Amino acid sequence: VAVVPLPKPPAEVPVQGSIALLAPKMQVAVTHILTGMMEEGFKAKVFETLRTPERQSFLYGFGRTYDDGRGTVTKVQDVWKGWHAYGLAVDIVEHDATPWNAPQAFWQTLGKLAEKHGLTWGGRWKFLDLPHSQWAGCPTSPTALDVALAREQGIQAVQKKYNAL
């Protein structure tokens, strides 16, 4: 009997979690949110900021919809269809052993602070994305013009368009 080895899962592409990769006004907002969470008694940390095409392809490799242990997640293949690629979105989670399983009070406080500091919170969407916040000056998703602008002039041009520099 021949033993066929199982294929190795793809190597995880590192998450970019540095606030410095966000648009300047997003950096300020996220810093205020993290400070506010601490003042409200919650330990919060940035999980992801700028998402690269390589990371998006890795995430898409799970399939369009999957359960990643944090809940059901739907991914789009094109990184340019989400604000993470432009430095205009952030995922913030609880800073503990189960960061995605925070109590509702954590998520509600996060949402309140995100909105207070000029962001749109994914907890208000039909498809809830509790850790996610993005620049409120942007539409829900990037437009075809945003994609073209980023490809032609870089993401800073899109950040400028939405007054996030």
Side-chain angles (χ1 to χ4, degrees):
V1 174
V3 176
V4 178
L6 293 173
K8 292 173 85 174
E12 182 160 353
V13 176
V15 174
Q16 301 295 320
S18 172
I19 294 173
L21 297 172
L22 295 170
K25 289 183 181 178
M26 278 287 297
Q27 293 177 30
V28 172
V30 170
T31 300
H32 286 305
I33 292 166
L34 294 173
T35 299
M37 292 296 286
M38 187 172 56
E39 290 170 352
E40 293 288 332
F42 296 106
K43 292 180 180 178
K45 70 176 182 177
V46 171
F47 177 75
E48 186 167 24
T49 55
L50 188 70
R51 186 172 295 156
T52 64
E54 295 79 17
R55 173 90 178 144
Q56 187 66 27
S57 292
F58 169 77
L59 292 172
Y60 189 76
F62 285 110
R64 286 196 51 82
T65 303
Y66 65 95
D67 186 340
D68 69 350
R70 301 171 280 189
T72 301
V73 178
T74 301
K75 297 292 177 193
V76 292
Q77 185 172 16
D78 186 354
V79 71
W80 299 109
K81 292 184 179 177
W83 290 116
H84 279 286
Y86 302 83
L88 293 169
V90 63
D91 292 328
I92 297 174
V93 296
E94 193 171 34
H95 192 15
D96 70 359
T98 58
W100 302 95
N101 296 323
Q104 279 302 310
F106 176 92
W107 300 121
Q108 295 303 314
T109 302
L110 175 64
K112 176 186 74 170
L113 289 167
E115 291 168 345
K116 176 182 176 183
H117 293 290
L119 305 183
T120 298
W121 177 50
R124 300 242 187 263
W125 297 344
K126 182 178 178 182
F127 181 77
L128 297 178
D129 191 351
L130 298 174
H132 182 88
S133 296
Q134 62 191 40
W135 189 246
C138 301
T140 302
S141 298
T143 66
L145 292 174
D146 296 328
V147 175
L149 183 61
R151 288 183 172 155
E152 292 169 15
Q153 299 180 32
I155 63 171
Q156 291 80 12
V158 178
Q159 293 171 356
K160 181 178 181 182
K161 174 182 175 180
Y162 292 111
N163 194 30
L165 287 180

